[in-house]
Amino acid sequence: MTQITTETVELLDQNDDLSSFKNEFYVKNDSIYLDGNSLGLLSRRAEQSLFDVLNDWKEHGIDGWMGGKYPWFTLSEQLAEKLAVLVGAEANEVIVTGSTTVNLHQLAATFFEPKAGKTKILADELTFPSDIYALQSQMKLKGLNPDTELVQVKSKNGMTLDEQDIIDAMTDDIALIVLPSVLYRSGQLLDMERLTKEAHKRNIPIGFDLCHSIGAIPHELSKWGVDFALWCNYKYVNAGPGGVGGIYVNKKHFTKTPGLSGWFGSKKESQFDMDHTFDSEESAGGFQIGTPHMLSTAPLIGSLSIFEEAKIDRIRSKSLKLTTLLMDLLDQELKGVFKIVNPLEDARRGGHVALMHNDAARICKALKDNGIVPDFRAPNVIRLAPVALYNSFRDVYDAVHILAKIMNTREYEKYENKREVIA
């Protein structure tokens, strides 16, 4: 491998057609932020759109529902048009609403329809715990025992999944499949198109949790025929802590009655009639439950305007170059020190690099004290996510060299190898 030098990364930065977007974000000069796969940074546009919505409340009061700069009554649908581009869907197949777990409850309640001989949900043992909690709850609500009816595909190595193992688990008794698009620990990107095709061969509805892929990779949910999806918008989409999430429902399912009905899923023209007969909107909007959280939605306005300009294909291209550079530098500067547990192939890797080390918790503490913001995942994984919109190639170069210093001097040994409350 050719030696990677400062000149190498400076040339990459000079040829980076997304470099100007870094100026859109509040990036600290004395640190390198590599934790965008947990919480994206604040952009100036997101800050401004939050102020704008606050001002509408201040100036218009209740009339903000239909007046002001961003009328609240239709804001979720307007933003959905922009989000639809990121997930490869028609505008009415997407809605901005809820949180990841609430949205999963809604979709599982809608699509999980157990019947004799077909009572199980297929998931995996590496998915984010909240997804499993939601699925277990939905099974209990239907009088089923999750210990026997929730099937979790096993991992051969504790970090990644074999798609053939998932397909082999699509047996006749499976009533629903819910999987992550990208595994949150290892960064493995699953082949959603293949898995959807195999599920539909067996007449099983399938949905994906896109939390670790939206804003980092392109999707083609409608083209692939995915039945439903859900996600948060506070990671790569940079909509702020606790920012409102999203739902995708394939248009072939618009006539399904939402499993959890609420007044904001009503048809717009009759919503304020206050009739006790629920008349669901025949779009993804029909799967909304309660009143939109305007102040948690507002930053998404500004954030999505950046994605409109940057384009998700260009973001993905740079993201792959950043993570490839990161892995190559690790091989150059710290060969054999860490085990890289994410897939090496571009087509199978999400937006972050995952390193395994027995001292991972205290290495993360040392990195933070040296101005690098990483992410720790128990028991022994360091996640590093160089984000295309606000990280440069020089950021990656400097971060790896700081990590090399920490490892070579064994600086990390002065820290306790135990995670903080928030890892």
Tab-separated table of all heavy atoms in Angstrom, residues 316-368:
chain	number	residue	atom	x	y	z
A	316	ARG	N	-22.766	9.647	-0.013
A	316	ARG	CA	-22.348	8.247	0.102
A	316	ARG	C	-20.956	8.033	-0.487
A	316	ARG	O	-20.119	7.330	0.090
A	316	ARG	CB	-23.362	7.337	-0.593
A	316	ARG	CG	-22.986	5.856	-0.670
A	316	ARG	CD	-22.781	5.247	0.693
A	316	ARG	NE	-22.678	3.782	0.617
A	316	ARG	CZ	-22.274	3.012	1.614
A	316	ARG	NH1	-21.924	3.558	2.774
A	316	ARG	NH2	-22.218	1.698	1.474
A	317	SER	N	-20.697	8.655	-1.610
A	317	SER	CA	-19.386	8.497	-2.255
A	317	SER	C	-18.271	9.000	-1.339
A	317	SER	O	-17.255	8.323	-1.143
A	317	SER	CB	-19.373	9.257	-3.581
A	317	SER	OG	-18.107	9.183	-4.178
A	318	LYS	N	-18.462	10.170	-0.744
A	318	LYS	CA	-17.431	10.701	0.145
A	318	LYS	C	-17.329	9.867	1.416
A	318	LYS	O	-16.221	9.620	1.920
A	318	LYS	CB	-17.711	12.159	0.492
A	318	LYS	CG	-16.646	12.746	1.433
A	318	LYS	CD	-16.905	14.191	1.792
A	318	LYS	CE	-15.896	14.684	2.822
A	318	LYS	NZ	-16.125	16.084	3.254
A	319	SER	N	-18.462	9.440	1.941
A	319	SER	CA	-18.459	8.620	3.158
A	319	SER	C	-17.613	7.368	2.979
A	319	SER	O	-16.817	7.004	3.854
A	319	SER	CB	-19.894	8.241	3.533
A	319	SER	OG	-19.915	7.316	4.604
A	320	LEU	N	-17.770	6.711	1.841
A	320	LEU	CA	-16.977	5.501	1.581
A	320	LEU	C	-15.494	5.826	1.486
A	320	LEU	O	-14.644	5.062	1.961
A	320	LEU	CB	-17.468	4.821	0.305
A	320	LEU	CG	-18.819	4.117	0.405
A	320	LEU	CD1	-19.297	3.649	-0.969
A	320	LEU	CD2	-18.753	2.931	1.370
A	321	LYS	N	-15.158	6.954	0.876
A	321	LYS	CA	-13.747	7.356	0.787
A	321	LYS	C	-13.177	7.645	2.181
A	321	LYS	O	-12.032	7.298	2.481
A	321	LYS	CB	-13.611	8.583	-0.101
A	321	LYS	CG	-13.886	8.323	-1.585
A	321	LYS	CD	-13.849	9.618	-2.383
A	321	LYS	CE	-14.215	9.381	-3.833
A	321	LYS	NZ	-14.293	10.639	-4.615
A	322	LEU	N	-13.991	8.277	3.025
A	322	LEU	CA	-13.540	8.599	4.384
A	322	LEU	C	-13.293	7.332	5.200
A	322	LEU	O	-12.271	7.205	5.883
A	322	LEU	CB	-14.574	9.471	5.087
A	322	LEU	CG	-14.663	10.934	4.652
A	322	LEU	CD1	-15.941	11.568	5.179
A	322	LEU	CD2	-13.447	11.729	5.133
A	323	THR	N	-14.236	6.390	5.150
A	323	THR	CA	-14.071	5.165	5.947
A	323	THR	C	-12.974	4.274	5.379
A	323	THR	O	-12.271	3.599	6.134
A	323	THR	CB	-15.397	4.390	6.057
A	323	THR	OG1	-15.967	4.194	4.759
A	323	THR	CG2	-16.403	5.142	6.932
A	324	THR	N	-12.793	4.292	4.058
A	324	THR	CA	-11.689	3.542	3.458
A	324	THR	C	-10.345	4.132	3.900
A	324	THR	O	-9.417	3.403	4.275
A	324	THR	CB	-11.784	3.558	1.925
A	324	THR	OG1	-12.983	2.883	1.520
A	324	THR	CG2	-10.586	2.857	1.287
A	325	LEU	N	-10.239	5.447	3.881
A	325	LEU	CA	-9.020	6.113	4.348
A	325	LEU	C	-8.760	5.767	5.809
A	325	LEU	O	-7.612	5.478	6.188
A	325	LEU	CB	-9.158	7.628	4.185
A	325	LEU	CG	-8.006	8.471	4.761
A	325	LEU	CD1	-6.708	8.199	3.995
A	325	LEU	CD2	-8.353	9.958	4.735
A	326	LEU	N	-9.791	5.786	6.613
A	326	LEU	CA	-9.646	5.461	8.031
A	326	LEU	C	-9.085	4.056	8.214
A	326	LEU	O	-8.142	3.843	8.996
A	326	LEU	CB	-11.012	5.603	8.714
A	326	LEU	CG	-11.126	5.237	10.194
A	326	LEU	CD1	-10.072	5.913	11.043
A	326	LEU	CD2	-12.526	5.583	10.698
A	327	MET	N	-9.627	3.093	7.501
A	327	MET	CA	-9.150	1.719	7.628
A	327	MET	C	-7.730	1.562	7.102
A	327	MET	O	-6.914	0.848	7.692
A	327	MET	CB	-10.110	0.762	6.918
A	327	MET	CG	-11.481	0.664	7.584
A	327	MET	SD	-12.566	-0.591	6.851
A	327	MET	CE	-12.875	0.100	5.225
A	328	ASP	N	-7.413	2.253	6.000
A	328	ASP	CA	-6.056	2.179	5.451
A	328	ASP	C	-5.037	2.801	6.413
A	328	ASP	O	-3.922	2.281	6.582
A	328	ASP	CB	-5.995	2.900	4.106
A	328	ASP	CG	-6.691	2.123	2.991
A	328	ASP	OD1	-6.980	0.923	3.198
A	328	ASP	OD2	-6.956	2.727	1.933
A	329	LEU	N	-5.420	3.892	7.052
A	329	LEU	CA	-4.518	4.526	8.023
A	329	LEU	C	-4.315	3.652	9.258
A	329	LEU	O	-3.207	3.586	9.809
A	329	LEU	CB	-5.073	5.891	8.426
A	329	LEU	CG	-4.820	7.028	7.434
A	329	LEU	CD1	-5.700	8.231	7.758
A	329	LEU	CD2	-3.344	7.432	7.440
A	330	LEU	N	-5.360	2.987	9.681
A	330	LEU	CA	-5.229	2.059	10.807
A	330	LEU	C	-4.253	0.941	10.461
A	330	LEU	O	-3.436	0.519	11.292
A	330	LEU	CB	-6.593	1.488	11.186
A	330	LEU	CG	-7.547	2.449	11.898
A	330	LEU	CD1	-8.969	1.891	11.900
A	330	LEU	CD2	-7.093	2.696	13.341
A	331	ASP	N	-4.334	0.475	9.229
A	331	ASP	CA	-3.417	-0.575	8.781
A	331	ASP	C	-1.984	-0.048	8.707
A	331	ASP	O	-1.030	-0.759	9.025
A	331	ASP	CB	-3.866	-1.095	7.407
A	331	ASP	CG	-3.053	-2.283	6.946
A	331	ASP	OD1	-2.999	-3.288	7.686
A	331	ASP	OD2	-2.452	-2.207	5.853
A	332	GLN	N	-1.845	1.204	8.322
A	332	GLN	CA	-0.519	1.808	8.192
A	332	GLN	C	0.107	2.148	9.548
A	332	GLN	O	1.293	1.890	9.777
A	332	GLN	CB	-0.630	3.082	7.345
A	332	GLN	CG	0.662	3.894	7.232
A	332	GLN	CD	0.478	5.124	6.367
A	332	GLN	OE1	0.223	5.020	5.172
A	332	GLN	NE2	0.609	6.306	6.968
A	333	GLU	N	-0.671	2.715	10.438
A	333	GLU	CA	-0.133	3.240	11.689
A	333	GLU	C	-0.293	2.295	12.886
A	333	GLU	O	0.469	2.391	13.852
A	333	GLU	CB	-0.812	4.576	12.026
A	333	GLU	CG	-0.708	5.636	10.940
A	333	GLU	CD	0.717	6.072	10.684
A	333	GLU	OE1	1.525	6.060	11.655
A	333	GLU	OE2	1.042	6.427	9.529
A	334	LEU	N	-1.283	1.406	12.830
A	334	LEU	CA	-1.597	0.569	14.000
A	334	LEU	C	-1.911	-0.861	13.582
A	334	LEU	O	-2.829	-1.483	14.100
A	334	LEU	CB	-2.797	1.160	14.757
A	334	LEU	CG	-2.531	2.464	15.517
A	334	LEU	CD1	-3.838	3.190	15.809
A	334	LEU	CD2	-1.787	2.171	16.819
A	335	LYS	N	-1.146	-1.376	12.672
A	335	LYS	CA	-1.413	-2.709	12.122
A	335	LYS	C	-1.442	-3.755	13.231
A	335	LYS	O	-0.513	-3.879	14.034
A	335	LYS	CB	-0.350	-3.074	11.091
A	335	LYS	CG	-0.706	-4.307	10.264
A	335	LYS	CD	0.307	-4.530	9.160
A	335	LYS	CE	-0.081	-5.677	8.243
A	335	LYS	NZ	-1.300	-5.392	7.475
A	336	GLY	N	-2.522	-4.510	13.296
A	336	GLY	CA	-2.647	-5.594	14.258
A	336	GLY	C	-3.055	-5.178	15.653
A	336	GLY	O	-3.298	-6.033	16.511
A	337	VAL	N	-3.159	-3.866	15.908
A	337	VAL	CA	-3.527	-3.408	17.257
A	337	VAL	C	-5.023	-3.555	17.497
A	337	VAL	O	-5.464	-3.957	18.573
A	337	VAL	CB	-3.095	-1.941	17.465
A	337	VAL	CG1	-3.574	-1.424	18.827
A	337	VAL	CG2	-1.581	-1.817	17.335
A	338	PHE	N	-5.815	-3.237	16.484
A	338	PHE	CA	-7.269	-3.351	16.567
A	338	PHE	C	-7.765	-4.385	15.563
A	338	PHE	O	-7.160	-4.585	14.508
A	338	PHE	CB	-7.941	-2.012	16.242
A	338	PHE	CG	-7.655	-0.927	17.229
A	338	PHE	CD1	-6.617	-0.016	16.991
A	338	PHE	CD2	-8.400	-0.795	18.383
A	338	PHE	CE1	-6.342	0.998	17.892
A	338	PHE	CE2	-8.137	0.219	19.293
A	338	PHE	CZ	-7.103	1.113	19.053
A	339	LYS	N	-8.891	-4.981	15.892
A	339	LYS	CA	-9.578	-5.829	14.923
A	339	LYS	C	-10.707	-5.010	14.312
A	339	LYS	O	-11.603	-4.545	15.023
A	339	LYS	CB	-10.147	-7.079	15.595
A	339	LYS	CG	-10.870	-8.006	14.613
A	339	LYS	CD	-11.404	-9.253	15.305
A	339	LYS	CE	-12.106	-10.166	14.302
A	339	LYS	NZ	-12.673	-11.367	14.968
A	340	ILE	N	-10.638	-4.805	13.008
A	340	ILE	CA	-11.722	-4.091	12.326
A	340	ILE	C	-12.849	-5.084	12.093
A	340	ILE	O	-12.680	-6.082	11.394
A	340	ILE	CB	-11.231	-3.495	10.991
A	340	ILE	CG1	-10.144	-2.447	11.245
A	340	ILE	CG2	-12.403	-2.871	10.229
A	340	ILE	CD1	-9.545	-1.855	9.982
A	341	VAL	N	-14.019	-4.801	12.693
A	341	VAL	CA	-15.110	-5.795	12.661
A	341	VAL	C	-16.224	-5.412	11.698
A	341	VAL	O	-17.160	-6.191	11.508
A	341	VAL	CB	-15.676	-6.032	14.073
A	341	VAL	CG1	-14.626	-6.676	14.965
A	341	VAL	CG2	-16.187	-4.741	14.707
A	342	ASN	N	-16.142	-4.218	11.102
A	342	ASN	CA	-17.119	-3.887	10.061
A	342	ASN	C	-16.704	-4.538	8.753
A	342	ASN	O	-15.518	-4.830	8.544
A	342	ASN	CB	-17.205	-2.372	9.874
A	342	ASN	CG	-15.850	-1.751	9.594
A	342	ASN	OD1	-15.158	-1.353	10.516
A	342	ASN	ND2	-15.442	-1.682	8.321
A	343	PRO	N	-17.649	-4.766	7.826
A	343	PRO	CA	-17.267	-5.295	6.518
A	343	PRO	C	-16.314	-4.346	5.801
A	343	PRO	O	-16.444	-3.119	5.895
A	343	PRO	CB	-18.608	-5.395	5.777
A	343	PRO	CG	-19.627	-5.540	6.860
A	343	PRO	CD	-19.120	-4.675	7.977
A	344	LEU	N	-15.370	-4.907	5.083
A	344	LEU	CA	-14.390	-4.097	4.362
A	344	LEU	C	-14.904	-3.656	2.990
A	344	LEU	O	-14.508	-2.611	2.483
A	344	LEU	CB	-13.088	-4.884	4.194
A	344	LEU	CG	-12.442	-5.402	5.494
A	344	LEU	CD1	-11.135	-6.130	5.175
A	344	LEU	CD2	-12.203	-4.271	6.489
A	345	GLU	N	-15.814	-4.433	2.420
A	345	GLU	CA	-16.336	-4.128	1.089
A	345	GLU	C	-17.280	-2.930	1.151
A	345	GLU	O	-18.127	-2.833	2.033
A	345	GLU	CB	-17.092	-5.323	0.502
A	345	GLU	CG	-16.323	-6.628	0.543
A	345	GLU	CD	-16.612	-7.453	1.781
A	345	GLU	OE1	-16.777	-6.872	2.879
A	345	GLU	OE2	-16.700	-8.687	1.646
A	346	ASP	N	-17.156	-2.026	0.190
A	346	ASP	CA	-17.996	-0.830	0.160
A	346	ASP	C	-19.483	-1.158	0.193
A	346	ASP	O	-20.262	-0.496	0.890
A	346	ASP	CB	-17.700	-0.020	-1.105
A	346	ASP	CG	-16.374	0.716	-1.026
A	346	ASP	OD1	-15.690	0.629	0.019
A	346	ASP	OD2	-16.015	1.384	-2.022
A	347	ALA	N	-19.894	-2.168	-0.578
A	347	ALA	CA	-21.312	-2.476	-0.716
A	347	ALA	C	-21.924	-3.052	0.560
A	347	ALA	O	-23.148	-3.130	0.677
A	347	ALA	CB	-21.534	-3.453	-1.875
A	348	ARG	N	-21.095	-3.430	1.515
A	348	ARG	CA	-21.607	-4.057	2.736
A	348	ARG	C	-21.340	-3.208	3.981
A	348	ARG	O	-21.616	-3.644	5.088
A	348	ARG	CB	-20.971	-5.447	2.912
A	348	ARG	CG	-21.290	-6.425	1.772
A	348	ARG	CD	-20.704	-7.805	2.049
A	348	ARG	NE	-21.289	-8.392	3.236
A	348	ARG	CZ	-20.574	-8.820	4.292
A	348	ARG	NH1	-19.258	-8.695	4.307
A	348	ARG	NH2	-21.181	-9.373	5.327
A	349	ARG	N	-20.834	-1.986	3.795
A	349	ARG	CA	-20.449	-1.151	4.922
A	349	ARG	C	-21.310	0.098	4.986
A	349	ARG	O	-21.534	0.774	3.986
A	349	ARG	CB	-18.972	-0.757	4.777
A	349	ARG	CG	-18.392	-0.026	5.990
A	349	ARG	CD	-16.882	0.172	5.856
A	349	ARG	NE	-16.498	1.153	4.858
A	349	ARG	CZ	-15.991	0.861	3.681
A	349	ARG	NH1	-15.783	-0.398	3.325
A	349	ARG	NH2	-15.651	1.818	2.826
A	350	GLY	N	-21.783	0.414	6.188
A	350	GLY	CA	-22.548	1.637	6.401
A	350	GLY	C	-21.626	2.838	6.519
A	350	GLY	O	-20.638	2.955	5.793
A	351	GLY	N	-21.914	3.727	7.479
A	351	GLY	CA	-21.174	4.971	7.552
A	351	GLY	C	-20.109	5.042	8.622
A	351	GLY	O	-19.486	6.090	8.788
A	352	HIS	N	-19.892	3.944	9.358
A	352	HIS	CA	-18.867	4.015	10.406
A	352	HIS	C	-17.931	2.814	10.362
A	352	HIS	O	-18.232	1.788	9.747
A	352	HIS	CB	-19.508	4.158	11.796
A	352	HIS	CG	-20.184	2.935	12.333
A	352	HIS	ND1	-21.543	2.702	12.206
A	352	HIS	CD2	-19.697	1.873	13.034
A	352	HIS	CE1	-21.855	1.563	12.800
A	352	HIS	NE2	-20.758	1.032	13.298
A	353	VAL	N	-16.799	2.988	11.030
A	353	VAL	CA	-15.809	1.918	11.171
A	353	VAL	C	-15.848	1.453	12.624
A	353	VAL	O	-15.912	2.269	13.554
A	353	VAL	CB	-14.399	2.419	10.810
A	353	VAL	CG1	-13.330	1.398	11.173
A	353	VAL	CG2	-14.338	2.756	9.312
A	354	ALA	N	-15.836	0.141	12.819
A	354	ALA	CA	-15.934	-0.441	14.159
A	354	ALA	C	-14.655	-1.190	14.495
A	354	ALA	O	-14.238	-2.087	13.755
A	354	ALA	CB	-17.134	-1.386	14.243
A	355	LEU	N	-14.040	-0.808	15.613
A	355	LEU	CA	-12.778	-1.408	16.049
A	355	LEU	C	-12.993	-2.167	17.343
A	355	LEU	O	-13.601	-1.653	18.283
A	355	LEU	CB	-11.722	-0.324	16.285
A	355	LEU	CG	-11.536	0.716	15.189
A	355	LEU	CD1	-10.480	1.730	15.615
A	355	LEU	CD2	-11.153	0.058	13.888
A	356	MET	N	-12.463	-3.372	17.412
A	356	MET	CA	-12.575	-4.163	18.627
A	356	MET	C	-11.237	-4.166	19.368
A	356	MET	O	-10.181	-4.353	18.775
A	356	MET	CB	-12.983	-5.608	18.286
A	356	MET	CG	-13.253	-6.484	19.502
A	356	MET	SD	-13.675	-8.202	19.029
A	356	MET	CE	-15.301	-7.962	18.317
A	357	HIS	N	-11.305	-3.922	20.700
A	357	HIS	CA	-10.114	-3.947	21.538
A	357	HIS	C	-10.569	-4.164	22.973
A	357	HIS	O	-11.581	-3.610	23.411
A	357	HIS	CB	-9.338	-2.631	21.424
A	357	HIS	CG	-7.946	-2.681	21.964
A	357	HIS	ND1	-7.665	-2.705	23.320
A	357	HIS	CD2	-6.738	-2.727	21.335
A	357	HIS	CE1	-6.361	-2.754	23.500
A	357	HIS	NE2	-5.766	-2.774	22.310
A	358	ASN	N	-9.829	-4.964	23.724
A	358	ASN	CA	-10.229	-5.254	25.101
A	358	ASN	C	-10.252	-4.013	25.997
A	358	ASN	O	-10.949	-3.987	27.014
A	358	ASN	CB	-9.295	-6.314	25.713
A	358	ASN	CG	-9.505	-7.688	25.113
A	358	ASN	OD1	-10.587	-7.991	24.597
A	358	ASN	ND2	-8.491	-8.529	25.153
A	359	ASP	N	-9.483	-2.991	25.615
A	359	ASP	CA	-9.440	-1.755	26.400
A	359	ASP	C	-10.249	-0.641	25.745
A	359	ASP	O	-9.972	0.550	25.944
A	359	ASP	CB	-7.987	-1.305	26.574
A	359	ASP	CG	-7.195	-2.254	27.451
A	359	ASP	OD1	-7.549	-2.388	28.629
A	359	ASP	OD2	-6.227	-2.860	26.942
A	360	ALA	N	-11.264	-1.013	24.999
A	360	ALA	CA	-12.010	-0.033	24.200
A	360	ALA	C	-12.575	1.110	25.032
A	360	ALA	O	-12.515	2.279	24.616
A	360	ALA	CB	-13.141	-0.732	23.446
A	361	ALA	N	-13.112	0.822	26.209
A	361	ALA	CA	-13.752	1.875	27.013
A	361	ALA	C	-12.753	2.956	27.404
A	361	ALA	O	-13.019	4.155	27.268
A	361	ALA	CB	-14.397	1.271	28.262
A	362	ARG	N	-11.577	2.544	27.863
A	362	ARG	CA	-10.624	3.568	28.292
A	362	ARG	C	-9.867	4.198	27.130
A	362	ARG	O	-9.397	5.327	27.242
A	362	ARG	CB	-9.676	3.022	29.352
A	362	ARG	CG	-8.885	1.776	29.022
A	362	ARG	CD	-8.070	1.408	30.260
A	362	ARG	NE	-7.314	0.178	30.119
A	362	ARG	CZ	-6.494	-0.268	31.067
A	362	ARG	NH1	-6.337	0.420	32.185
A	362	ARG	NH2	-5.834	-1.393	30.904
A	363	ILE	N	-9.778	3.509	26.023
A	363	ILE	CA	-9.203	4.134	24.835
A	363	ILE	C	-10.110	5.285	24.384
A	363	ILE	O	-9.628	6.369	23.999
A	363	ILE	CB	-9.016	3.105	23.700
A	363	ILE	CG1	-7.931	2.085	24.087
A	363	ILE	CG2	-8.643	3.798	22.387
A	363	ILE	CD1	-7.850	0.885	23.165
A	364	CYS	N	-11.422	5.081	24.478
A	364	CYS	CA	-12.363	6.146	24.124
A	364	CYS	C	-12.199	7.352	25.046
A	364	CYS	O	-12.268	8.508	24.609
A	364	CYS	CB	-13.798	5.633	24.171
A	364	CYS	SG	-14.262	4.638	22.736
A	365	LYS	N	-11.975	7.097	26.327
A	365	LYS	CA	-11.763	8.197	27.272
A	365	LYS	C	-10.496	8.975	26.926
A	365	LYS	O	-10.472	10.216	26.966
A	365	LYS	CB	-11.679	7.653	28.694
A	365	LYS	CG	-12.987	7.069	29.206
A	365	LYS	CD	-12.809	6.456	30.599
A	365	LYS	CE	-14.091	5.768	31.061
A	365	LYS	NZ	-13.926	5.141	32.397
A	366	ALA	N	-9.452	8.255	26.561
A	366	ALA	CA	-8.200	8.913	26.175
A	366	ALA	C	-8.386	9.726	24.895
A	366	ALA	O	-7.849	10.833	24.770
A	366	ALA	CB	-7.103	7.868	25.990
A	367	LEU	N	-9.141	9.179	23.952
A	367	LEU	CA	-9.413	9.909	22.717
A	367	LEU	C	-10.129	11.224	23.010
A	367	LEU	O	-9.769	12.282	22.484
A	367	LEU	CB	-10.252	9.053	21.764
A	367	LEU	CG	-9.503	7.984	20.964
A	367	LEU	CD1	-10.483	7.015	20.313
A	367	LEU	CD2	-8.592	8.610	19.907
A	368	LYS	N	-11.122	11.180	23.881
A	368	LYS	CA	-11.869	12.402	24.205
A	368	LYS	C	-10.957	13.450	24.840
A	368	LYS	O	-11.055	14.647	24.522
A	368	LYS	CB	-13.046	12.076	25.127
A	368	LYS	CG	-14.255	11.515	24.396
A	368	LYS	CD	-15.508	11.576	25.257
A	368	LYS	CE	-16.731	11.207	24.439
A	368	LYS	NZ	-17.981	11.341	25.212
